[in-house]
């Protein structure tokens, strides 16, 4: 989407570009390593932009929706993450702003900002994924502590996390959503056991986490007892708003065009000029521009203090669809060279065979499939849209 920027916004874009160039002077590019992540985070902290989505009351820079848009666009094009700090920064912090006590905010937010603690999300359980309200991990009040017993599954990054924010059942109300409580749990507590789940590609991202009489103080409850469902729903809308992938899809679109311009099409010209390929690419581009406008509208509502609501399901559903289609274009471009490569499993890649982008983009194609499930599956987003937006 082409925004006509004001002079101030153009200056802001220059500031962003300068920051990127100072942190990673060309031709150096961010490679996702811990060293690079640390360097980028330090640059963000020094500039006051580490928590760029946080409200000003909590140290955020108070950007407008357009500034957020520019930021995402510029850093994604440079291959950098828009923020460092994982689930703590992007998912838990907004909940602490809304539901956390002043003590919880003082205790947890500085460590999140400085990336000193890693958080994981303990929602899903065996038998409670889409139907999250059927969760059974039990928390019983005993003196000043909740005592937790049960099991969580698909917990991304639990093996590296210091803390978990999790949903527990504290009572069996007629309406299942009413008996759920949101707790923060120290992952080093006695009784927490982490079992790795190795995925088909050989990587260790997921875990199963069991709780056997794990104690967490009442002071680690966010919101009131039984209010966990409301807290969790707020968190999920923030998670889904972050899954529109507009900047990533925009970046991929540009690179697909570059790649297709150098590849042969069916009629002797370039693939980019092939009418069938070009028509499908143009359609994806139009849908991406519509998504970008929707995202910008949502961001401006959030900047004005609103919550994303059911709009976040539209962003997640459509954003996932478009980014997956972008990766499919790359697979089409790569042709016989379309094979994934996971360096953490297979070791450093040998010299490139085929186009230099093929290995990375085809890997992204496979990774991108999970986006239809993580944060609530496509079908669940459609159900939410049907009920809350279309009122069906
Ligand atoms: C990459 C990734 C990371 C994840 N990280 C985490 C994490 O950190 N923490 C965490 O708690 N969870 C995590 N999850 C789990 C994720 O939230 C669940 O996988 C998801 O909610 C779906 O639940 P399920 O796997 O139990 O599938 P199920 O709920 O069993 O669904 C199976 C299929 O049935 C469909 N379905 C279910 N109910 C309905 C319905 N009412 N109408 C129509 N269709 C329906 C679903 O769409 C799906 O296709 C992660 C998942 C992925 C893929």
């Amino acid at each position: 989407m082409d925004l006509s920027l004001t002079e101030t916004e153009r200056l802001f874009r220059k500031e962003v570009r300068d920051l990127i160039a100072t942190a990673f002077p060309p031709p150096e590019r961010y490679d996702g390593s811990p060293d690079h992540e640390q360097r980028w985070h330090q640059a963000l902290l020094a500039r006051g932009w580490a928590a760029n989505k946080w409200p000003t009351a909590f140290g955020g820079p108070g950007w407008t929706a357009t500034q957020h848009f520019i930021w995402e666009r510029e850093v994604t094009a440079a291959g950098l993450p828009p923020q460092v700090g994982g689930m703590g920064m992007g998912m838990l912090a907004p909940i602490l702003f809304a539901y956390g006590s002043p003590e919880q905010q003082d205790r947890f937010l500085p460590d999140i900002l400085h990336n000193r603690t890693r958080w994981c999300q303990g929602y899903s359980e065996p038998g409670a994924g889409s139907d999250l309200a059927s969760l059974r991990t039990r928390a019983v009040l005993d003196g000043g502590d909740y005592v937790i017993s049960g099991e969580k599954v698909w917990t991304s990054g639990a093996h590296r996390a210091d803390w978990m924010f999790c949903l527990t059942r504290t009572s069996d109300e007629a309406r299942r959503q009413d008996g759920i409580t949101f707790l923060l749990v120290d992952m080093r507590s006695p009784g927490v056991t982490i079992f790795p789940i190795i995925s088909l590609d050989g990587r260790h991202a997921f875990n199963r986490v069991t709780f056997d009489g794990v104690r967490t103080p009442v002071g680690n409850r966010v919101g009131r007892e039984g209010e966990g469902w409301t807290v969790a729903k707020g968190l999920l809308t923030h998670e889904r708003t972050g899954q529109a992938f507009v900047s990533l899809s925009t970046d991929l679109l540009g690179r697909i065009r570059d790649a297709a311009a150098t590849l042969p099409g069916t009629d002797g010209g370039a693939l980019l000029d092939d009418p069938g390929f070009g028509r499908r690419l143009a359609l994806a581009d139009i849908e991406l521009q519509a998504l970008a406008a929707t995202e910008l509208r949502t961001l401006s509502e959030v900047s004005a203090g609103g919550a994303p609501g059911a709009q976040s399901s539209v962003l997640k559903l459509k954003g996932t669809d478009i980014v997956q289609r972008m990766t499919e274009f790359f697979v089409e471009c790569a042709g016989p060279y379309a094979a994934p490569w996971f360096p953490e499993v297979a070791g450093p890649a040998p010299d490139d065979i085929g186009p230099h982008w093929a290995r990375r983009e085809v890997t992204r194609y496979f990774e991108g499939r999970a986006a239809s499930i993580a944060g609530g599956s496509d079908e669940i987003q459609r159900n939410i849209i049907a009920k809350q937006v279309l009122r069906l």
Side-chain angles (χ1 to χ4, degrees):
M1 186 167 72
D2 265 345
L3 289 172
S4 38
L5 301 181
T6 63
E7 186 54 28
T8 318
E9 287 160 352
R10 266 197 297 275
L11 277 174
F12 173 73
R13 186 175 62 186
K14 182 174 178 314
E15 275 185 78
V16 173
R17 288 179 178 171
D18 288 348
L19 178 77
I20 294 170
T22 311
F24 293 95
E28 192 181 15
R29 265 181 86 84
Y30 180 83
D31 64 10
S33 64
D35 279 357
H36 274 194
E37 186 186 80
Q38 166 81 351
R39 192 200 304 178
W40 179 229
H41 189 232
Q42 287 307 319
L44 293 179
L45 279 173
R47 188 64 189 76
W49 289 352
N52 53 65
K53 288 194 174 158
W54 290 12
T56 42
F58 291 95
W63 287 347
T64 62
T66 312
Q67 283 177 303
H68 280 291
F69 195 82
I70 294 169
W71 173 255
E72 296 262 343
R73 195 55 84 75
E74 294 297 322
V75 296
T76 307
L80 287 153
Q83 58 186 10
V84 177
M87 294 186 182
M89 176 71 82
M91 289 162 64
L92 179 63
I95 291 305
L96 292 179
F97 304 149
Y99 297 98
S101 64
E103 294 73 28
Q104 289 168 341
Q105 292 168 352
D106 288 347
R107 176 169 177 204
F108 294 114
L109 291 175
D111 282 343
I112 291 175
L113 175 65
H114 291 276
N115 202 20
R116 290 190 290 252
T117 45
R118 288 181 185 267
W119 287 83
C120 63
Q121 179 190 42
Y123 280 20
S124 306
E125 297 180 8
S130 303
D131 184 18
L132 193 56
S134 64
L135 64 92
R136 288 184 303 186
T137 292
R138 173 81 44 187
V140 178
L141 201 52
D142 176 33
D145 292 339
Y146 282 100
V147 182
I148 309 169
S149 299
E151 180 177 356
K152 296 288 172 184
V153 74
W154 308 123
T155 323
S156 305
H159 54 303
R160 285 191 291 264
D162 306 294
W163 284 81
M164 173 190 278
F165 49 90
C166 72
L167 291 178
T168 59
R169 180 155 299 287
T170 40
S171 68
D172 298 294
E173 306 293 330
R175 191 175 163 270
R176 293 173 308 163
Q177 288 85 345
D178 290 339
I180 293 175
T181 299
F182 193 100
L183 296 177
L184 309 178
V185 180
D186 186 334
M187 292 297 278
R188 286 169 300 253
S189 309
V192 173
T193 312
I194 301 167
F195 300 90
I197 298 176
I198 307 299
S199 42
L200 270 179
D201 56 28
R203 288 187 295 175
H204 177 197
F206 300 123
N207 303 275
R208 187 166 70 86
V209 181
T210 59
F211 300 84
D212 184 8
V214 175
R215 301 187 85 89
T216 197
V218 176
N220 286 344
R221 185 187 69 213
V222 180
R224 286 191 295 273
E225 185 169 300
E227 200 187 22
W229 188 254
T230 310
V231 175
K233 271 203 310 193
L235 199 156
L236 281 173
T237 58
H238 282 283
E239 180 180 3
R240 287 171 190 154
T241 308
Q243 290 175 324
F245 307 115
V246 170
S247 299
L248 175 60
S249 289
T250 306
D251 184 48
L252 293 177
L253 179 68
R255 291 195 287 113
I256 291 162
R257 287 207 173 102
D258 292 345
T262 65
L263 294 166
T266 44
D267 61 354
L271 178 61
L272 188 60
D273 302 323
D274 184 288
F277 185 89
R279 190 186 59 78
R280 283 184 290 119
L281 199 60
L283 189 61
D285 187 4
I286 292 164
E287 290 181 35
L288 176 59
Q289 292 195 39
L291 181 73
T294 308
E295 184 186 53
L296 197 51
R297 212 170 51 236
T298 309
L299 282 176
S300 65
E301 283 164 20
V302 173
S303 300
Q311 231 165 300
S312 65
S313 292
V314 177
L315 290 174
K316 199 228 162 195
L317 183 65
K318 200 63 203 168
T320 301
D321 168 48
I322 293 175
V323 80
Q324 288 176 341
R325 275 156 62 196
M326 293 300 171
T327 63
E328 284 162 20
F329 281 116
F330 265 120
V331 170
E332 200 174 332
C333 289
Y337 301 110
W341 188 271
F342 298 101
E344 62 272 46
V345 178
D351 287 345
D352 279 328
I353 305 169
H356 68 276
W357 42 261
R359 193 174 291 140
R360 175 69 208 116
E361 297 309 336
V362 174
T363 305
R364 200 196 300 273
Y365 163 82
F366 283 99
E367 289 170 344
R369 303 293 104 188
S372 299
I373 304 170
S377 70
D378 284 0
E379 289 79 8
I380 295 306
Q381 305 317 313
R382 288 197 178 93
N383 286 349
I384 294 171
I385 294 164
K387 271 197 207 152
Q388 295 183 27
V389 181
L390 304 175
R391 308 270 171 215
L392 296 175

